[in-house]
Every structure is written in C-alpha cells, then in structure tokens.
Amino acid sequence: MTNKAEREEYNVSFFENLKLFSWVFKRVKPYWKMLTISIILMMFVSFMNLIPPYLTKNAINMYLYPTHYSITRTYSQGSVRSGSNYFISSRNGKYTLIHKGNKAFIKGKGHEYPVNMADIKRMEISGVIMIAIEIFIIYLIIFFVSYAQMWTSQMVAIKTVNDVRNVLFDHILKQPMKFFDSNISGRLVTRVTNDTQNLNDMFSKIIASIFKDTFLIVGILYILFFMEPHLFLIILPVFLAVVIITYLFRFFSRKVYRTVRAKLAAVNAFLAEHISGMMITFLFNKEIEKSHEFYKVNNDYYHSALKMVFVYAIFRPMISFMRYFAVTLLIWFGSRAVMGGNVEIGTLFAFITYIGMIFQPINDIAQNFSNLQSTMVSVERIRGLLNIPLPKRPERSADISSGEIVIKDLWFSYNKDEWALKGISLKIKDGEKIAIVGHTGAGKSTISSILTGLYDYSSGSVKVGKVEVKECATAELRSKINIVLQEVMLFSGTVLENITLWDNKISRDMVLKAIHDLDLEKFVASLPNGVDTHVRESGTNLSTGQRQLISIVRAFVRNPKVVIMDEATSSVDVETESMIQHAFQKLTRDKTTVIIAHRLSTIRNVDRIVVINEGKIVEEGNHEELMKKNGIYAKLYRLQSFEEYQVS
Ligand SMILES: Nc1ncnc2c1ncn2[C@@H]1O[C@H](COP(=O)(O)OP(=O)(O)OP(=O)(O)O)[C@@H](O)[C@H]1O
Ligand SMILES: [Mg+2]
C-alpha cells in the first residue's frame, strides 16, 4: 500500500477532494434514485418544519391580539355578525375592536358597529383551534416523511457500504503474498470495517444533513428577512459572528482531530500487536515494561483528546451564548417596536422561535463538515487500497501434465537487493522424492513459496510439468501442487470443513475414504466428535501434530501431482510423529515430493538430499554421499544425532 493511502492526516487539495467525491458517487450510483428521494424528502421535512412558527404567528396576530378586522356582506367561517355586516380578523383590515363600558364595537371608516363579545371570543377560539389542528397535521406529516427519509438514507448507506466491503475483500484476495508482508493485518481489517463504517455515516447522516441544514438556514433567513426586515437587520451581525466562530472552530477542530486520530491509531496498533504477542510478554516477564509502554502511548492519546475536548467544549457554549444574545437583542428592540405599533407581537414571537431554530443547524453543519473531513480520510484510504494494481496472471494456461520440476538459475528477493535465493538450479523428475535441508533462514521455505506461485521470481525459470510457474494460472498451479505447511492454519468450523475448505467438489465420503487410506481413523476417532469436531478460530484447540495430520488429509483429498512438506520446527510426540510419517508416506506414493526437513532422521529414504546455504545449493546427493563429503549436511546430522542421543 502506498504511504499516501496510509496517512492518518488529511490535507488534500480541493481538486483531490473532488476526485474523492467522484469516487464516492460512483459507488453510490446504483442507488442514486433512492439517494435523490432521500434528499428530496429531507428538504421537504425542513420545509415543513419552517411552517409551524409562521402559523403560530398568525394565531397570535389574528386571534389572540386581533387588532384589525375586515368587513364583508357575506358570512364566512369564523366571522362575527353585526346587523347585515360580517367582520373577520384580518391583518390589513381597516377596522378595530373597541370597548365602551361593557359593550363592544367594531370601529372604522367613521362608523361603529355593535358586536356581541361572546361572538368575538367564539371567533377567536375557533381560529386558534384551526391553527392548532394545522400544526398538528404538519407534525404528523413530518413524522411519516422523516421515517421514509431515514429509511431511504440508511438503505443507501448500508447497500453502498456492503458493496464497497465486498469489493475491498475481493481486491485483498487477489493480492500477491508480498502485499501481506508489508501490510499488517490489523490495518487491513480497519480498512474493511472502520473505514467503510465511516462511509456509511457519510450516506446515512452527513450528506442528508448538510442538505437539510443548508435548506433550513437559508429558509429561515429568507422568512425572517421578508417578515420584518428591521428586526432582521438587528440580528444580522450576530449571524455573521456565528459564521466566523464556526469557521474558526472548524479550523481548530480539524487540527486537533487529526492528532487525536493519529494517537488513537497508535493505541490500536500497540494493542493489536501486543495482544497477539501476549505469550512472549508473559514468558519473558515483560508485563511491567509493556504496561509502562502502553501507559505512554495511551497518555499521548489522552492529552490530545483533552485538547479536542477543550475546542469542542468552548464551541457549543459560545454558539449558545450567541443565540441568547440574539434573543436579548430581539426583546430589547422588538418590544419597543411592538409597543410603538410597528411590529405585531406574533411576529416578534415567530422571530424568537426561528432564532431558536437556526442555531441547531449551524451547529450541525459545522459538525458534519468536520465529520465529512474525517470520512474523506477513510475514502482516501479505501481508494488507495483499491488502486493498488493487481498482479497480472493468466486466467487460463496450459495444463500441468506431470510432476516434473525444473528450476534454472532462480534469483529471488523479498526486499530489493537482499537476495533470498541466488541462482538456484534444480531438476526433480516426475515421482522423485527429494529433501531440502539447511540452516534456518537458508531459503528453504522460499523455494516452496515460489513453486506454489505465492511470490513472483525476478529472474530465472521455474517449470512444473513443463509449464512456467509465472505464466501458469494460479488455480491450475495450486490444484497440482499441494503443500503441508510449517505452521498449519485452520479456520473456525469443523475438522471436515477444514479438510474440504468449503469445496463442494470434495464430499464427506471422499474425506472419510482419505482418512481410511491414510490409516488415520484412530486419530480421527480420538477427536471429541470425529470429523465434526469443532475447530476454534486459527485451530487453537488442536495440537501442532493434530493440525499437521489434518493438513495431510487436506492435501491427500486433492490428489496433487507434487507434494511439498515444510516440516514443523516444533517436535511432536513419538506416536504422533510416526502417525505423521506413515500418513505422509501414503500421501506421497508415486508423487513428486519435496520435503523441507528439519529432523534429518525423517528423510533417510528420499532419493536425493539438496543442501541449501544462504540461498545457494551447496551440496547434493544421498545420505551416504553427503556424510562422506563431510560438509554442512554431515555437520547438521552429527549435531542432531548428538541431541537425540542426549534426549534418549
Ligand atoms: N516474507 C518475508 N519477507 C521478507 N523476508 C523474508 C520473508 N520470508 C523470509 N524472508 C527472509 O528470506 C530468507 C529465507 O527465508 P526462508 O523462510 O526461506 O528460510 P528457511 O530456510 O525456510 O528457514 P527455516 O528453517 O527457519 O524455516 C531469510 O533471510 C528470511 O529472513
Ligand atoms: Mg521455513
């Protein structure tokens, strides 16, 4: 993975940001209809939210403090009768209500019309009730539409993220082994889980809310301006101050957020590494040192988190203060205007309500913009991972027809310039059994990794059954070569599933027959549930020997042409060892066999022994010849016989 994709910090240009967005929108394209619906619904909800304060204003201005009436000749709902005239509360009406003693009149244009006070009250109450019902219906609609909106945006999020996760894992599956050497698994896990989760938040919350909040802010400002431009101008400076504060907050929060993230990543990395290596910590009495080390890493995180708390803690109260300041300004200037008859009281009420409504979206939008920033870090990392080119391997290739192996002048390095194999040439006939021995780190396992196509070699040629390994489709190669690894990896599932590796072509009967043919029935019977014994994650509930035996069955059912055995360095008990040896003999009958041996006593009956030292073949021959030569092999052999002698 590139460093760029790995960085914890986010500091990309506007143009790069656009590229990231276009990447995101490509992922969401299959669900664009749903996303559009979601955004439209969200705007609709915002719009609906703007109405109730306006209606309340009308309720106050028209019915609670009805200062103006219009006159009509016909009856309409909620009107009050006086003789042949009807009066109705109206904002621009030219008539007003006056009281004389305990009688009420509506006065205007030089006339006074007597009205019944009870009628006036009835009209006012019915008007207020109508508005209350309207507000109730609006909130009911908001409830249902919000539900639909949430549902659609969550669906878009879940579907998109599900796709991205699948694509990511498929991409990881296609990587060469080299990729896994330089990418620690914890980091890849984070990519597939946390980073995609951030993407989820982006679709389920951030995008929709940025649309909603912008709409709400613009909507409120628009209403305020047209409702009462004077009051609007009074609180305008407060808004500007809020915008500046929000901008500053974004600037500082982004800065501290970045450090917090980096420090948290350090804590995660430390934990992942040390929990998996806990055994070593125990065995070497390193608990206290490790505890101190962790304390330090954790403390770093704590301090940067404190800084973040400071920035966040000051922002919200500040915005809150600005909000009450705006309300104070409104009460101060607004009430004078009301008293002077320039502004209606309902309008002042609506102003104060809208002011209360506008600060939350300002707060949220600032929050969501910084969330968007951190999501973009995740997007960049996911994209970085997906942009790693895949190795070019043919989908189909010639069939491997025999177990013959021909290696010519093979050079290979894991890291540039450090050659692990230096010009290996080796010919193994079909059906021949050879052993590779050598000191630790000599390059033995490397040869098996090259034969199985796990790593690509830089120069030279490696042919299995006349097909060049580099040009062989991996499916073909790995169906013909099978390997019993030094460290057998088992997955959680049953023993049977670990043998078939979930391959439908391998039936239970085939596995049972294989166990029978390898004389391993006794071993399988000794497991609590036979082949249905549950294997824990990584096979931790089985011993090394048991795992090796399972791995031999695994190879046997696939009937490969070439078998490679990378012998475990850890020894097993004598009985299991003889069971392994016996099963292995049966597995390799008539097959080309490469045994990477650590215990030299186990390879006496191979056709040939190849000794490797520092990436080169240094000796070759059978046991007697090599003993006579008195070289590395003879030395290794004598050392081991001495050890065995000591043990027995
Ligand atoms: N994944 C890897 N990345 C980088 N270097 C590696 C990797 N695997 C092995 N090496 C290096 O390549 C060299 C050969 O390693 P190899 O695993 O082939 O040794 P080996 O002969 O199998 O040793 P052992 O007997 O301990 O299993 C060593 O120097 C080792 O450090
Ligand atoms: Mg090895």
Side-chain angles (χ1 to χ4, degrees):
M1 198 180 301
T2 57
N3 277 338
K4 199 176 138 223
E6 220 16 78
R7 65 184 175 206
E8 293 295 337
E9 299 214 350
Y10 183 75
N11 202 3
V12 296
S13 66
F14 176 72
F15 184 66
E16 260 184 88
N17 243 328
L18 277 187
K19 276 207 278 192
L20 291 181
F21 270 115
S22 90
W23 182 88
V24 168
F25 283 102
K26 256 184 226 145
R27 307 303 116 185
V28 82
K29 216 169 160 191
Y31 315 111
W32 73 269
K33 278 186 199 152
M34 219 182 226
L35 184 67
T36 316
I37 291 176
S38 163
I39 290 173
I40 291 173
L41 291 180
M42 187 131 229
M43 309 251 265
F44 180 73
V45 170
S46 299
F47 176 74
M48 293 303 266
N49 268 315
L50 290 175
I51 302 175
Y54 200 84
L55 291 179
T56 315
K57 178 204 83 155
N58 285 349
I60 296 172
N61 285 352
M62 289 169 66
Y63 303 113
L64 299 183
Y65 289 90
T67 45
H68 302 282
Y69 294 88
S70 295
I71 187 165
T72 58
R73 291 233 162 247
T74 49
Y75 170 81
S76 64
Q77 216 206 336
S79 58
V80 177
R81 186 175 163 197
S82 174
S84 57
N85 297 308
Y86 293 89
F87 292 93
I88 189 153
S89 176
S90 146
R91 208 178 157 177
N92 306 316
K94 300 278 183 273
Y95 297 82
T96 49
L97 186 70
I98 53 163
H99 294 272
K100 280 189 185 163
N102 40 12
K103 287 196 173 129
F105 298 87
I106 286 180
K107 185 182 170 190
K109 293 191 177 164
H111 291 285
E112 273 183 14
Y113 303 89
V115 283
N116 187 342
M117 211 40 218
D119 284 349
I120 294 274
K121 281 275 168 277
R122 208 173 300 124
M123 175 199 76
E124 285 169 357
I125 288 170
S126 76
V128 170
I129 287 176
M130 267 314 289
I131 287 181
I133 290 173
E134 280 166 25
I135 291 179
F136 176 74
I137 290 172
I138 285 173
Y139 280 121
L140 210 58
I141 294 172
I142 289 179
F143 167 73
F144 285 111
V145 178
S146 296
Y147 167 71
Q149 187 279 324
M150 288 267 192
W151 196 84
T152 44
S153 68
Q154 294 285 344
M155 279 313 266
V156 171
I158 292 173
K159 279 169 188 272
T160 312
V161 167
N162 195 46
D163 291 354
V164 171
R165 234 178 249 146
N166 284 337
V167 169
L168 264 178
F169 188 64
D170 278 350
H171 193 77
I172 293 174
L173 271 182
K174 287 180 193 142
Q175 295 296 330
M177 272 314 288
K178 219 181 171 93
F179 170 85
F180 299 96
D181 289 342
S182 52
N183 286 285
I184 42 177
S185 59
R187 200 185 283 162
L188 292 177
V189 172
T190 314
R191 219 67 347 125
V192 183
T193 54
N194 292 13
D195 286 330
T196 54
Q197 190 51 42
N198 284 345
L199 203 59
N200 183 322
D201 289 351
M202 175 160 170
F203 289 116
S204 60
K205 299 183 201 138
I206 302 175
I207 293 185
S209 126
I210 286 177
F211 271 98
K212 178 192 93 173
D213 293 333
T214 315
F215 186 86
L216 212 54
I217 293 170
V218 173
I220 291 176
L221 290 178
Y222 179 86
I223 294 177
L224 291 186
F225 180 73
F226 281 96
M227 208 158 64
E228 213 38 82
H230 302 301
L231 288 184
F232 177 78
L233 286 179
I234 288 169
I235 49 170
L236 191 60
V238 183
F239 283 132
L240 295 181
V242 166
V243 170
I244 294 169
I245 293 174
T246 309
Y247 183 81
L248 286 178
F249 167 72
R250 267 191 63 198
F251 176 77
F252 287 112
S253 72
R254 205 190 306 168
K255 225 167 142 177
V256 289
Y257 185 78
R258 263 187 234 153
T259 6
V260 168
R261 234 184 123 104
K263 303 281 182 203
L264 182 63
V267 171
N268 282 341
F270 185 94
L271 280 178
E273 187 179 2
H274 286 85
I275 287 176
S276 62
M278 203 50 100
M279 199 156 102
I280 302 296
T281 305
F282 288 155
L283 293 179
F284 288 85
N285 279 328
K286 289 288 173 221
E287 288 95 332
I288 295 173
E289 282 94 331
K290 288 298 161 196
S291 158
H292 285 321
E293 265 181 63
F294 183 70
Y295 182 84
K296 223 176 137 276
V297 179
N298 198 25
N299 211 36
D300 272 1
Y301 170 56
Y302 163 79
H303 283 294
S304 57
L306 272 191
K307 266 190 214 147
M308 184 160 95
V309 167
F310 175 75
V311 172
Y312 276 76
I314 200 153
F315 175 67
R316 282 163 204 270
M318 219 147 154
I319 293 291
S320 208
F321 174 78
M322 294 314 276
R323 169 178 168 174
Y324 292 115
F325 183 59
V327 172
T328 317
L329 282 181
L330 279 177
I331 292 175
W332 180 272
F333 292 102
S335 347
R336 286 167 183 225
V338 170
M339 282 180 233
N342 298 324
V343 170
E344 285 170 297
I345 186 143
T347 312
L348 181 61
F349 173 84
F351 246 81
I352 294 176
T353 314
Y354 280 124
I355 291 297
M357 279 169 69
I358 202 170
F359 282 83
Q360 191 58 41
I362 291 179
N363 215 334
D364 290 350
I365 223 167
Q367 186 67 50
N368 278 321
F369 265 111
S370 37
N371 289 349
L372 192 63
Q373 293 287 344
S374 72
T375 305
M376 282 330 233
V377 179
S378 292
V379 170
E380 197 193 17
R381 291 205 207 143
I382 294 174
R383 207 179 67 127
L385 180 54
L386 286 177
N387 278 351
I388 297 173
L390 293 175
K392 286 194 180 60
R393 280 241 171 206
E395 287 284 316
R396 317 193 122 267
S397 62
D399 280 357
I400 293 174
S401 52
S402 75
E404 182 200 49
I405 297 173
V406 182
I407 303 176
K408 267 191 203 146
D409 197 26
L410 169 66
W411 287 78
F412 172 76
S413 71
Y414 288 101
N415 310 308
K416 274 185 191 128
D417 301 331
E418 270 178 53
W419 296 104
L421 298 178
K422 304 169 189 162
I424 300 269
S425 292
L426 183 64
K427 202 168 168 193
I428 309 169
K429 290 198 285 283
D430 189 16
E432 194 183 4
K433 292 183 174 39
I434 73 148
I436 299 181
V437 298
H439 293 295
T440 179
K444 306 180 296 288
S445 300
T446 308
I447 295 185
S448 84
S449 299
I450 298 243
L451 282 173
T452 43
L454 288 179
Y455 291 89
D456 275 343
Y457 38 99
S458 342
S459 74
S461 143
V462 180
K463 282 186 177 162
V464 178
K466 306 244 183 311
V467 183
E468 185 72 41
V469 168
K470 245 191 228 176
E471 282 143 27
C472 187
T474 43
E476 167 66 11
L477 182 68
R478 289 172 194 160
S479 69
K480 301 291 162 67
I481 295 194
N482 221 293
I483 181 161
V484 179
L485 281 171
Q486 229 170 351
E487 297 294 329
V488 179
M489 169 68 197
L490 298 184
F491 295 98
S492 52
T494 63
V495 168
L496 181 76
E497 285 165 336
N498 267 288
I499 292 169
T500 64
L501 287 175
W502 292 267
D503 186 339
N504 299 330
K505 289 201 278 300
I506 302 169
S507 68
R508 187 185 176 93
D509 286 342
M510 282 161 78
V511 173
L512 293 179
K513 184 172 179 307
I515 291 169
H516 171 81
D517 291 348
L518 292 167
D519 294 328
L520 289 178
E521 276 156 327
K522 215 175 106 203
F523 155 69
V524 172
S526 75
L527 298 172
N529 274 323
V531 284
D532 298 312
T533 302
H534 188 74
V535 178
R536 239 187 277 144
E537 213 179 83
S538 311
T540 43
N541 58 337
L542 295 175
S543 72
T544 316
Q546 289 172 326
R547 280 190 252 169
Q548 288 253 327
L549 286 169
I550 290 173
S551 151
I552 290 176
V553 186
R554 219 186 233 177
F556 190 80
V557 287
R558 288 174 169 78
N559 193 24
K561 292 199 184 302
V562 179
V563 175
I564 302 173
M565 162 82 143
D566 202 343
E567 211 177 54
T569 23
S570 50
S571 3
V572 293
D573 64 82
V574 183
E575 200 191 336
T576 314
E577 176 65 39
S578 83
M579 221 173 350
I580 292 175
Q581 285 305 324
H582 181 73
F584 188 67
Q585 298 295 333
K586 295 211 155 190
L587 163 66
T588 57
R589 183 174 297 154
D590 308 325
K591 292 187 179 105
T592 310
T593 309
V594 178
I595 306 173
I596 295 168
H598 293 98
R599 285 185 296 288
L600 304 182
S601 53
T602 60
I603 55 162
R604 291 270 195 88
N605 44 9
V606 295
D607 302 318
R608 192 156 43 114
I609 299 167
V610 175
V611 183
I612 300 223
N613 197 30
E614 294 181 0
K616 286 187 201 143
I617 296 183
V618 287
E619 291 166 28
E620 218 174 322
N622 61 29
H623 175 70
E624 282 72 29
E625 286 164 1
L626 292 178
M627 285 308 283
K628 229 180 267 166
K629 211 170 182 183
N630 205 14
I632 293 183
Y633 178 80
K635 216 187 276 171
L636 280 174
Y637 188 79
R638 274 199 293 273
L639 259 172
Q640 285 207 357
S641 342
F642 179 66
E643 272 173 19
E644 271 160 29
Y645 170 77
Q646 290 257 310
V647 172
S648 57

